[in-house]
């Protein structure tokens, strides 16, 4: 009798317990909603939260060249595999991040045994082998790659639109073309992204657009542009965001927000404040945080035909790279929904 009553209580008039709707369900008619994970998130509570809310996963760090391939004959697949295998088992597709970036790079690719710089031809041979190995290993579960990350300068008055990284110094802009060439060889089906931050700012937006157009004119397969989306309470404006989406969607078939977080920055838009200590955030700042998330997602919904995935960078404020005190995500340090969650899902 008790069991029957309990079952009846669980779900009156339906065949199974009501499943809690998550971001992925609310946005099923708009775009996929993804999240960047670290191996430490592979625990029951955070796996359950991921399954409830998201339908795309990115590895925050463990697929980056310097992490997964730290020496010519050293491959660290275990951490990436722990996330990829979980995604495979749960039918979640992944974004690959990333194949070529001046940060967390496999620096051994640039020098010989004596530590002298290698030629760009030798570098390309090593980069090609890296890309073919990583892309080949995960092509069953990864549907798109951030092939090149952050190759454009932030300087609006610079003569040269490219970041003057060690990659550019060795190769000029050719390393961009080569990285995409190798990725296209390794997985002709994958969508190949150029990914960058501050892409909503008109100057950088236009430099990114010009580079992608130029590369496409040279026969390079760039069919996605990733707007990272590391925002604060004021940037981007709705207009910045809308204009960037329109600009990029006129060039490529796939536009995504790839690394979304909205930090409160005690200085309101000043320099990043990577404080990691927990702090209470005032009601007035919470209201601004809610307003910026509401504005951001309203514009994304208006552009639903042009956006195919929106990925949050980290699962909860506990993990965020900008620190807990910047209050950046939709879930707090206890994995509970924050006020901005309501603003994003009730429309
Ligand atoms: O792996 C080492 C570990 O061995 C060491 O003990 C520890 C302490 O020094 O550092 C660990 O490396 C850290 C790495 O994350 C992995 O946890 C680095 O110090 C730390 O700088 C690195 O930060 C990452 C950052 O990229 C590197 O620039 C952040 O977690 C990651 O969220 C961030 O993500 C980038 C995207 O990939 C590209 N777009 C910008 C975004 C923010 O910078």
């Amino acid at each position: 009798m008790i069991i029957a009553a309990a079952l009846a209580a669980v779900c009156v008039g339906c065949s199974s317990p009501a499943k809690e709707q998550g971001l992925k369900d609310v946005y099923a008619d708009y775009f996929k909603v993804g999240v960047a994970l670290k191996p430490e998130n592979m625990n029951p509570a955070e796996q359950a939260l991921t399954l409830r809310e998201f339908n795309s996963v990115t590895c925050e760090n463990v697929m980056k060249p310097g992490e997964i391939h730290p020496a010519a004959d050293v491959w660290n697949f275990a951490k990436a595999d722990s996330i990829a295998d979980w995604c495979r088992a749960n039918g979640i597709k992944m974004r690959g991040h990333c194949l070529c970036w001046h940060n967390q790079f496999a620096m051994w690719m640039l020098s010989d045994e004596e530590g002298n710089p290698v030629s760009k031809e030798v570098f390309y041979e090593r980069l090609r082998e890296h890309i073919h190995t990583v892309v080949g290993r995960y092509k069953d579960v990864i549907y798109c790659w951030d092939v090149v990350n952050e190759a454009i300068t932030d300087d609006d008055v610079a003569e040269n639109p490219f970041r003057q990284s060690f990659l550019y110094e060795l190769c000029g802009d050719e390393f961009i073309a080569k990285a995409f060439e190798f990725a296209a060889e390794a997985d002709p089906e994958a969508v190949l992204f150029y990914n960058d931050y501050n892409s909503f700012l008109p100057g950088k937006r236009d430099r990114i657009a010009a580079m992608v157009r130029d590369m496409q004119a040279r026969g390079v397969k760039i069919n996605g542009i990733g707007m990272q989306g590391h925002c604060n309470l004021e940037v981007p404006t709705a207009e910045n965001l809308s204009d960037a989406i329109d600009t990029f969607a006129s060039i490529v078939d796939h536009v995504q927000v790839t690394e979304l977080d909205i930090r409160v920055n005690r200085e309101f838009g000043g320099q990043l404040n990577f404080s990691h200590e927990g702090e209470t955030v005032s009601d007035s700042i919470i209201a601004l945080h809610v307003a910026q998330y509401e504005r951001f997602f309203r514009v994304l919904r208006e552009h639903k035909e042009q956006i195919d995935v929106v990925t949050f960078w980290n699962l909860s404020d506990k993990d965020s790279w900008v620190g807990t005190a910047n209050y950046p995500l939709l879930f707090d340090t206890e994995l509970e929904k924050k006020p901005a969650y309501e603003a994003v899902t009730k429309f």
Side-chain angles (χ1 to χ4, degrees):
M1 186 60 172
I2 293 172
I3 293 174
L7 282 175
V10 159
C11 181
V12 175
C14 64
S15 56
S16 64
K19 192 168 75 69
E20 185 178 352
Q21 294 280 293
L23 293 159
K24 69 183 190 308
D25 308 298
V26 171
Y27 280 91
D29 295 336
Y30 292 87
F31 34 72
K32 279 187 157 191
V33 185
V35 63
L37 297 179
K38 50 185 73 176
E40 295 79 357
N41 298 133
M42 291 294 101
N43 61 71
E46 293 180 315
Q47 287 171 332
L49 176 59
T50 302
L51 288 174
R52 186 185 81 204
E53 299 291 340
F54 302 105
N55 49 11
S56 176
V57 165
T58 307
C59 289
E60 180 189 17
N61 285 301
V62 296
M63 283 192 184
K64 293 171 179 173
E67 304 279 335
I68 202 168
H69 193 190
D73 53 354
V74 177
W75 288 95
N76 295 333
F77 291 124
K79 291 182 177 177
D81 286 352
S82 71
I83 297 172
D85 289 344
W86 182 76
C87 288
R88 287 176 173 119
N90 288 280
I92 298 180
K93 290 296 184 189
M94 298 178 77
R95 302 194 75 260
H97 179 81
C98 53
L99 296 175
C100 189
W101 184 31
H102 59 277
N103 256 347
Q104 294 176 284
F105 192 62
M107 296 307 288
W108 59 269
M109 290 190 195
L110 294 146
S111 47
D112 64 17
E113 288 73 27
E114 285 73 51
N116 304 310
V118 299
S119 68
K120 73 175 179 178
E121 288 70 24
V122 169
F123 167 62
Y124 289 152
E125 282 167 21
R126 294 173 173 184
L127 181 63
R128 186 169 187 273
E129 195 255 343
H130 173 81
I131 290 176
H132 275 254
T133 303
V134 177
V135 172
R137 186 180 184 89
Y138 298 109
K139 65 198 300 186
D140 64 300
V141 65
I142 288 184
Y143 63 89
C144 71
W145 275 98
D146 291 333
V147 178
V148 172
N149 207 39
E150 305 178 14
I152 296 295
T153 183
D154 291 312
D155 181 349
D156 282 346
V157 297
E159 284 287 299
N160 187 323
F162 291 96
R163 177 186 297 272
Q164 299 301 294
S165 69
F166 57 83
L167 294 163
Y168 186 83
E169 274 157 33
L170 177 63
C171 310
D173 66 2
E174 191 185 45
F175 79 91
I176 300 172
K178 288 293 184 184
F180 279 93
E181 178 190 325
F182 302 153
E185 286 169 357
D187 183 358
E189 303 306 310
V191 179
L192 303 182
F193 277 79
Y194 173 75
N195 188 49
D196 213 331
Y197 64 87
N198 285 355
S199 53
F200 309 126
L201 302 180
K204 187 153 187 194
R205 176 199 69 202
D206 293 344
R207 287 192 294 280
I208 291 168
M211 181 277 286
V212 174
R213 284 197 190 96
D214 173 54
M215 286 288 162
Q216 290 175 331
R218 291 153 62 175
V220 177
K221 178 188 172 186
I222 303 180
N223 49 4
I225 293 176
M227 308 179 294
Q228 289 184 8
H230 295 298
C231 309
N232 62 35
L233 298 177
E234 299 166 317
V235 177
T237 63
E239 186 187 6
N240 289 157
L241 176 57
S242 182
D243 291 349
I245 295 170
D246 288 337
T247 300
F248 297 143
S250 72
I251 306 169
V252 291
D253 291 336
H254 299 273
V255 179
Q256 295 186 10
V257 176
T258 54
E259 306 181 15
L260 178 58
D261 45 39
I262 298 179
R263 60 189 182 269
V264 295
N265 263 6
R266 293 194 195 84
E267 300 74 31
F268 279 89
Q271 283 311 307
L272 266 176
N273 200 332
F274 292 115
S275 51
H276 283 265
E277 78 285 353
E279 259 197 20
T280 54
V281 179
S282 70
D283 288 348
S284 57
I285 287 186
I286 289 174
L288 292 171
H289 190 252
V290 170
Q292 177 66 312
Y293 262 114
E294 191 284 325
R295 201 165 35 238
F296 198 91
F297 272 82
R298 177 166 38 80
V299 174
L300 292 180
R301 292 194 297 271
E302 290 163 0
H303 289 268
K304 71 173 197 175
E305 301 307 326
Q306 297 161 299
I307 294 280
D308 49 46
V309 187
V310 176
T311 295
F312 286 88
W313 203 247
N314 301 119
L315 180 61
S316 76
D317 288 356
K318 169 172 68 71
D319 291 329
S320 176
W321 73 289
V322 293
T324 305
N326 264 302
Y327 194 75
L329 297 164
L330 296 187
F331 300 98
D332 66 18
T333 55
E334 303 303 317
L335 309 183
E336 297 298 330
K337 297 172 184 174
K338 292 162 59 182
Y341 184 94
E342 172 112 5
V344 166
T345 53
K346 300 280 182 292
F347 53 88

